[in-house]
Amino acid sequence: MNIKEAEILMQAGVLKTPVIKKHVHEDGWVVTLDGKHKMNPALETARGHVRVFKTLDAAVGVLFDLGFEKVNVVR
């Protein structure tokens, strides 16, 4: 899902606490947003590719901007 879709789902209250995890093949971090929806849980770019954040700080910043108060970070 892209940021706009995540905003809509956040406002509807259907998203659980997001998970930020280290990307397997690249340096960076990937965000997944699970909840009561049938969409791809990973945040994506406008072109539909998984969005890889260069820093953990950038990933957390986007999630806080969306309105999340808590995030989980896993290795």
Side-chain angles (χ1 to χ4, degrees):
M1 86 180 64
N2 62 38
I3 294 288
K4 197 58 151 170
E5 293 165 336
E7 285 176 1
I8 292 167
L9 293 173
M10 181 65 183
Q11 291 172 356
V14 298
L15 295 177
K16 296 180 184 177
T17 302
V19 175
I20 303 171
K21 58 186 169 183
K22 193 78 168 145
H23 192 275
V24 178
H25 302 290
E26 297 180 36
D27 286 336
W29 301 87
V30 177
V31 173
T32 56
L33 300 168
D34 290 327
K36 303 175 197 171
H37 59 83
K38 304 291 184 211
M39 302 174 77
N40 180 357
L43 271 185
E44 299 174 342
T45 64
R47 295 184 180 193
H49 300 288
V50 173
R51 184 169 178 181
V52 179
F53 293 89
K54 290 186 179 187
T55 65
L56 181 58
D57 201 31
V60 171
V62 166
L63 293 171
F64 284 172
D65 287 347
L66 284 172
F68 288 100
E69 295 180 5
K70 176 179 159 183
V71 299
N72 290 329
V73 179
V74 297
R75 191 171 186 155

